[in-house]
Amino acid sequence: MSEATPQASRSSLLRALGSLSSAHLTRFKMRNGKGSAQAPVLQFTNCRILRGRKLLRWEDLWVREGHIVDPEKLFFEERLVADQQRDCGGCILAPGFIDVQINGGFGVDFSQATEDVGSGVALVAQRILSHGVTSFCPTLVTSPPEVYHKVLPQIPVKSGGPHGAGVLGVHLEGPFISREKRGAHPEAHLRSYEANAFNDVLATYGSLDNVRIVTLAPELGRSHEVIQALTARGICVSLGHSVANLRVAEEAVQSGATFITHLFNAMLPFHHRDPGIVGLLTSDRLPPGRHIFYGMISDGMHTNPAALRIAHRAHPQGMVLVTDAVPALGLGNGRHTLGQQEVEVDGLTAYVAEPVLCSQGTKTLSGSIAPMDVCVRHFLQATGCSVESALEAASLHPAQLLGLEKHKGTLDFGADADFVMLDDSLHVWATYISGELVWQAEEARQ
């Protein structure tokens, strides 16, 4: 076939080749000297693939050795066809979800200094596969230094697989945050910077080897030198739990900050004369080429639908859905831990257990108990955005935030084959990591 062959005809040929029997496949491979040692090729058919910000309806997904592959190169350069075909029943195939803020779940508290932190992380990693999450950042809330020193070495970066979602690095939320906007963080353990600010950070956290994100309040003295030191080490700096005005927030971004922790929550409210951190979404004082991302807890409790719509319409490419899930995720009503404090779960809401009231007379929220797939569905319904936008807010955007968009959060050729199979209502039917089925809904097994 010449290079001038129409794309439609070539696609038809690819489908025809993909339907060859295993006997034909073996002969085809042997003629080309590939032999039986050739890595198997998987072809996912009858699906809609999220790629290039669009749901592609006439494409198949091809996987080999844990990566997405270009079928044209397989056929026309390597002379290979699929070893296995999997009919997706018309489902959506989207990149696996990435949760960059999750405090625990299923009774596991990442901020508890146990002797076997790793087993708790592994439990959560396995359970969130059913939510479509293929990678995550275990998050520690404000804690005393001895907790960080004991916990952080026990949470290394780890690839995902049948054992559970991959760990991308730890998110440290606090203790260098505002007392006024501490939210559910224990005041007794909040810290500010001393004369040698970054040494103070190291003394508090210990080794930063396993750290991927640090949330801090940029109005604290010497915060800019801390931001520069963290970003120089490849750590993402997020602004949150803060009373910073817009000018201070812009200076923090100029120093290297790229993320906002749970927008609208635990920060100054928007004001037309000084919009505060929220104003970063439309600021014209950011460095050229600098892209600001912002996390949002789309659980129906933390953020009014109108606020979700305002943020998304102002800066849709920066939206990152996070769960901010607490250890009570997956459990029922009652008291549970969150770091050094207790939280009370009542229905769909988690509060600090102590009767601490804010100025409006409502209890202090302490994270969410909504899984990621619920957050995606609520975001879609609340904003009226496209399915593509809702899915990318939980996949592509967090990957871009962490500089992983070549490998995660995308189904482009060459990317890791981490993806989720969804129905039209965006309920998870199956989760794949490196092209391997790691979780499947009961309905899909029938």
Side-chain angles (χ1 to χ4, degrees), residues 52-72:
R53 304 191 185 281
K54 295 180 180 180
L55 280 176
L56 305 179
R57 297 178 179 273
W58 306 113
E59 298 284 342
D60 296 340
L61 190 72
W62 297 76
V63 175
R64 182 174 64 178
E65 296 184 316
H67 295 86
I68 310 297
V69 294
D70 182 348
E72 292 197 7

Side-chain angles (χ1 to χ4, degrees), residues 354-376:
E354 292 79 11
V356 179
L357 305 181
C358 71
S359 59
Q360 287 79 21
T362 58
K363 294 179 180 179
T364 300
L365 292 173
S366 57
S368 169
I369 54 173
M372 180 59 83
D373 58 320
V374 170
C375 291
V376 171

Side-chain angles (χ1 to χ4, degrees), residues 1-17 71-73 75-76:
M1 178 176 286
S2 71
E3 290 300 314
T5 302
Q7 185 62 41
S9 298
R10 174 166 287 191
S11 297
S12 298
L13 177 57
L14 297 185
R15 287 180 177 276
L17 286 170
E72 292 197 7
K73 289 185 177 180
F75 296 137
F76 299 109

Side-chain angles (χ1 to χ4, degrees), residues 206-261:
S207 173
L208 297 174
D209 289 348
N210 296 331
V211 176
R212 197 61 182 258
I213 305 173
V214 172
T215 291
L216 54 79
E219 70 273 14
L220 298 182
R222 302 182 181 276
S223 64
H224 296 295
E225 62 185 83
V226 170
I227 294 172
Q228 291 170 351
L230 289 171
T231 55
R233 287 162 174 77
I235 295 172
C236 169
V237 173
S238 186
L239 311 180
H241 288 277
S242 167
V243 294
N245 60 29
L246 178 57
R247 179 185 59 79
V248 169
E250 289 171 332
E251 290 173 352
V253 174
Q254 291 160 7
S255 294
T258 54
F259 193 40
I260 302 171
T261 296

Side-chain angles (χ1 to χ4, degrees), residues 109-115 117 146-148 150-151 154 340:
D109 187 341
F110 297 145
S111 299
Q112 290 287 322
T114 65
E115 295 300 326
V117 173
E146 57 266 25
V147 170
Y148 296 117
K150 188 169 186 178
V151 171
Q154 297 188 63
Q340 308 302 304

Side-chain angles (χ1 to χ4, degrees), residues 390-438:
L391 294 172
E392 288 184 342
S395 56
L396 176 62
H397 297 173
Q400 291 173 329
L401 166 70
L402 299 177
L404 300 174
E405 67 272 18
K406 298 294 184 183
H407 307 286
K408 306 287 186 185
T410 177
L411 297 182
D412 287 346
F413 303 141
D416 295 344
D418 297 352
F419 58 93
V420 59
M421 185 181 296
L422 307 136
D423 64 18
D424 288 343
S425 300
L426 301 190
H427 288 88
V428 179
W429 280 72
T431 304
Y432 288 79
I433 293 180
S434 296
E436 184 175 1
L437 178 65
V438 295

Side-chain angles (χ1 to χ4, degrees), residues 14-37:
L14 297 185
R15 287 180 177 276
L17 286 170
S19 65
L20 288 174
S21 69
S22 59
H24 287 144
L25 171 65
T26 301
R27 291 195 295 271
F28 199 99
K29 284 183 176 179
M30 294 303 293
R31 282 201 306 270
N32 286 276
K34 301 296 183 180
S36 59

